[in-house]
């Protein structure tokens, strides 16, 4: 496959960026998007040019580091996939692909396509945990858990914190991320004791980081590679009101 | 306190409550407007007079004005904050699979506000004595306005836009208030659809009948 890649290049958060166009020949359809970019970098290094900076790690859709905005879609045009799992089969020979970094005030560009997603970690650190005394792990099955809730909690817990929800949202809101983190605890008995403090602290931190409000538009749900559902945000809202 | 009243969630909560209150008033207003279809101006003018003078309605009127102001103020604060949350925009427009109605709420809301201002000048301010006119004969004023083709067209367009606004507004308010889950979401969507068609259509049909069938 032959591709025209229009990629955002930017030195750091404070410098001005611009698009650079690369013509890339010899892309195999079975490559993943990340493999394609690695191949691009190999050819650039071979020519003595500066490679494109982008983040990637696990290549199996669980670390959440590989996010980029591809042709108007966070993580590309296929639903339920991270960029690393996106196959080049989904693109046509000769196609122009525009690649941009996540755009949000709380996500400053580190370099090119790599952004600083520390803001999400800050929210998590504000309350996305349960306090347990250390020692021998207690027998998990002594606390009965409703099956439906445990399934819903599991579905919420698969959030990988990639930031695609923020990238997709017209308001750069992190509500889907926060709602997943809140839900995975709110639905289980272990999460209840600190429920009120958790939701208040996480929302306060979300505001401090400068994320927008939720317009219930659903772009986050449409783009989430882990298919976290919008009704988690309704649960987050309920939890927040109950916390006062 | 500030953090609680102006958190990303609380702002939406206040806005949703104010909006829902306005949604409760629309059917009442429509009920009165439908009396315009009678050839006798009496029932409509009596209802309008009642709305203008009955003490309990006065209280509701103040609440309505407050709700409108709150809804607009919070809407603007939220919108400006949302815009500021993405200072650098994407070069390629977002193609995520979302409903168009939800993306233009500030614009549909703004259009409804413009209509509301015109509407206030035509009726409400007459009642308050700010604008000249006969507050006891709103029936005649309505007929005069609907007779102007430009006004009738503006009226239809505004109610079409109001329908777009309401369709997302109602669903969004439920979600914001936390009243949504996997089961209720589709039910709420249908309720929103019905409300956003029936109420604006009810208003829009009045000048249609007056202009073409009377
Ligand atoms: S590289 Fe880990 S999710 Fe894509």
């Amino acid at each position: 496959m032959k591709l025209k890649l229009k990629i955002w290049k930017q030195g750091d958060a404070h410098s001005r960026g611009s698009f650079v166009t690369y013509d890339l020949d010899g892309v195999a359809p079975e490559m993943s998007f990340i493999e394609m970019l690695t191949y691009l970098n190999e050819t650039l290094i071979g020519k003595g040019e500066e490679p494109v900076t982008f983040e990637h790690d696990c290549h199996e859709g669980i670390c959440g580091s590989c996010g980029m905005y591809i042709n108007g879609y966070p993580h590309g045009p296929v639903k339920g996939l991270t960029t690393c799992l996106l196959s080049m089969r989904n693109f046509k020979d000769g196609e122009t692909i525009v690649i941009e970094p996540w755009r949000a005030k709380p996500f400053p560009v580190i370099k090119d396509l790599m952004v600083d997603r520390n803001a999400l970690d800050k929210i998590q650190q504000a309350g996305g945990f349960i306090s347990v005394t250390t020692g021998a792990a207690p027998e998990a099955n002594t606390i009965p858990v409703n099956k439906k809730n445990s399934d819903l909690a599991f579905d919420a817990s698969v959030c990988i914190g990639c930031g695609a929800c923020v990238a997709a949202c017209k308001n750069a809101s992190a509500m889907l991320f926060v709602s997943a983190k809140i839900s995975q605890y709110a639905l289980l008995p272990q999460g209840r004791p600190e429920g009120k403090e958790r939701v208040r602290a996480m929302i306060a931190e979300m505001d401090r980081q400068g994320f927008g409000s939720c317009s219930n538009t659903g772009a986050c749900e449409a783009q989430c590679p882990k298919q976290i559902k919008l009704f988690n945000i309704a649960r987050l809202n309920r939890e927040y009101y109950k916390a006062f | 306190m500030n953090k609680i009243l102006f958190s990303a969630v609380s702002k939406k909560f206040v806005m949703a409550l104010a909006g829902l209150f306005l949604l409760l008033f629309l059917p009442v207003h429509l009920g009165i407007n439908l009396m315009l279809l009678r050839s006798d101006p009496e029932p409509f003018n009596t209802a309008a007079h009642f709305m203008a003078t009955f003490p309990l309605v006065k209280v509701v009127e103040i609440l309505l004005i407050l709700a409108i102001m709150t809804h607009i103020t919070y809407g603007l604060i939220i919108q400006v904050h949302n815009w500021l949350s993405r200072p650098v925009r994407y070069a390629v427009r977002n193609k995520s699979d979302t409903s168009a109605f939800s993306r233009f709420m500030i614009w549909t809301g703004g259009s409804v506000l413009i209509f509301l201002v015109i509407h206030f000048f035509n009726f409400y301010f007459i009642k308050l004595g700010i604008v000249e006119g006969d507050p006891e004969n709103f029936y005649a004023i309505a007929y005069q306005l609907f007779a102007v083709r430009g006004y009738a067209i503006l009226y239809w367009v505004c109610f079409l836009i109001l329908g777009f606004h309401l369709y997302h507004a109602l669903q969004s308010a439920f979600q914001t208030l936390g009243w949504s889950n996997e089961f209720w979401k589709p039910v709420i969507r249908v309720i929103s659809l019905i409300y956003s068609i029936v109420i604006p259509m009810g208003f829009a049909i009045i000048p249609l009948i007056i202009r073409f069938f009377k």
Side-chain angles (χ1 to χ4, degrees):
Chain A
M1 287 170 86
K2 222 179 167 159
L3 295 172
K4 194 183 268 303
L5 302 169
K6 257 184 90 178
I7 301 178
W8 185 260
K9 292 282 289 170
Q10 182 174 340
D12 57 39
H14 307 292
S15 50
R16 284 173 67 96
S18 62
F19 282 103
V20 175
T21 306
Y22 302 96
D23 288 302
L24 188 62
D25 202 355
V27 175
E30 55 272 15
M31 280 180 179
S32 75
F33 204 86
I34 294 291
E35 283 167 337
M36 180 277 291
L37 287 176
T38 309
Y39 169 58
L40 166 74
N41 276 352
E42 276 169 11
T43 62
L44 290 176
I45 292 166
K47 286 191 279 185
E49 288 177 37
E50 192 196 63
V52 177
T53 302
F54 60 95
E55 225 186 322
H56 62 111
D57 185 12
C58 71
H59 291 213
E60 53 183 4
I62 54 164
C63 75
S65 65
C66 60
M68 51 190 83
Y69 186 87
I70 304 162
N71 279 352
Y73 298 97
H75 287 302
V78 183
K79 282 194 179 188
L81 288 185
T82 51
T83 305
C84 59
L85 294 179
L86 176 67
S87 152
M88 292 313 294
R89 269 189 201 91
N90 297 296
F91 298 90
K92 286 191 292 289
D93 187 25
E95 191 170 341
T96 300
I97 306 176
V98 185
I99 315 171
E100 300 172 70
W102 282 175
R103 297 285 191 203
K105 191 168 140 223
F107 290 168
V109 172
I110 295 174
K111 191 166 173 15
D112 303 344
L113 301 174
M114 184 188 199
V115 299
D116 183 352
R117 287 175 297 119
N118 244 312
L120 295 184
D121 295 339
K122 294 264 167 56
I123 298 175
Q124 185 72 354
Q125 286 155 7
F129 50 79
I130 56 167
S131 306
V132 283
T133 6
T134 51
E139 165 57 40
N141 292 325
T142 49
I143 305 172
V145 177
N146 169 309
K147 170 77 171 116
K148 189 168 167 247
N149 280 1
S150 101
D151 286 349
L152 287 171
F154 179 80
D155 290 346
S157 74
V158 297
C159 166
I160 53 176
C162 64
C165 45
V166 178
C169 175
K170 68 182 176 63
N171 313 329
S173 167
M175 284 287 277
L176 193 68
F177 166 78
V178 181
S179 77
K181 300 301 173 194
I182 288 290
S183 291
Q184 75 185 49
Y185 296 114
L187 286 158
L188 297 177
Q190 292 88 339
R192 294 307 331 170
E194 292 159 306
K196 292 186 176 179
E197 295 79 12
R198 175 179 306 114
V199 68
R200 277 154 64 164
M202 289 178 85
I203 294 291
E205 188 58 39
M206 180 184 89
D207 284 338
R208 205 168 301 133
Q209 294 296 332
F211 292 101
S213 283
C214 175
S215 290
N216 305 319
T217 301
C220 53
E221 182 185 57
Q223 292 309 133
C224 175
K226 296 291 149 183
Q227 309 200 298
I228 306 285
K229 293 282 171 269
L230 214 54
F231 56 74
N232 285 298
I233 296 182
R235 182 180 301 106
L236 163 63
N237 292 337
R238 283 200 295 277
E239 290 292 317
Y240 189 67
Y241 308 140
K242 279 194 283 181
F244 293 102
Chain B
M1 195 62 201
N2 245 3
K3 265 191 211 138
I4 300 167
L5 265 183
F6 289 96
S7 84
V9 178
S10 320
K11 279 186 285 188
K12 290 286 297 187
F13 178 80
V14 174
M15 203 183 159
L17 274 191
L20 279 184
F21 185 65
L22 296 175
L23 292 195
L24 285 178
F25 173 67
L26 277 182
V28 179
H29 196 320
L30 175 60
I32 296 172
N33 278 22
L34 284 173
M35 292 184 205
L36 279 170
L37 295 176
R38 310 259 296 259
S39 319
D40 177 12
E42 223 21 63
F44 179 81
N45 282 339
T46 314
H49 179 82
F50 173 80
M51 293 302 275
T53 49
F54 192 66
L56 194 67
V57 180
K58 279 268 166 222
V59 178
V60 178
E61 183 182 313
I62 294 167
L63 287 177
L64 275 173
I65 299 289
L66 279 177
I68 293 173
M69 307 275 253
T70 311
H71 194 70
I72 294 169
T73 314
Y74 269 74
L76 282 174
I77 294 174
I78 293 170
Q79 185 61 65
V80 169
H81 181 231
N82 287 347
W83 278 329
L84 292 176
S85 299
R86 176 164 293 130
V88 183
R89 314 204 76 79
Y90 291 110
V92 181
R93 195 180 52 81
N94 189 313
K95 297 190 196 118
S96 303
D97 183 9
T98 55
S99 119
F101 303 114
S102 65
R103 274 182 276 133
F104 301 110
M105 290 302 274
I106 189 74
W107 308 114
T108 50
S111 314
V112 173
L113 175 62
I114 293 171
F115 175 77
L116 204 63
V117 172
I118 298 173
H119 187 63
F120 274 12
F121 270 98
N122 289 335
F123 295 95
Y124 188 59
F125 290 163
I126 292 180
K127 196 203 88 177
L128 294 185
I130 302 171
V131 174
E132 224 164 281
D134 180 7
E136 293 305 319
N137 202 356
F138 278 175
Y139 185 93
I141 300 178
Y143 269 73
Q144 276 160 17
L145 285 171
F146 287 150
V148 181
R149 191 192 302 152
Y151 183 85
I153 292 173
L154 177 83
Y155 196 83
W156 287 321
V157 171
C158 285
F159 276 97
L160 184 70
I161 295 175
L162 178 68
F164 292 162
H165 193 76
L166 295 182
Y167 175 57
H168 179 68
L170 200 52
Q171 299 178 61
S172 181
F174 275 102
Q175 167 87 357
T176 299
L177 296 177
W179 298 331
S180 178
N181 61 24
E182 216 170 347
F183 174 76
W184 284 106
K185 209 177 151 191
V187 179
I188 293 167
R189 176 169 303 158
V190 173
I191 295 173
S192 307
L193 186 67
I194 295 172
Y195 184 94
S196 62
I197 292 177
V198 170
I199 299 290
M201 276 284 281
F203 280 98
I205 213 159
I206 295 168
L208 198 77
I209 295 176
I210 289 177
R211 284 182 65 89
F212 297 110
F213 301 102
K214 282 182 86 125

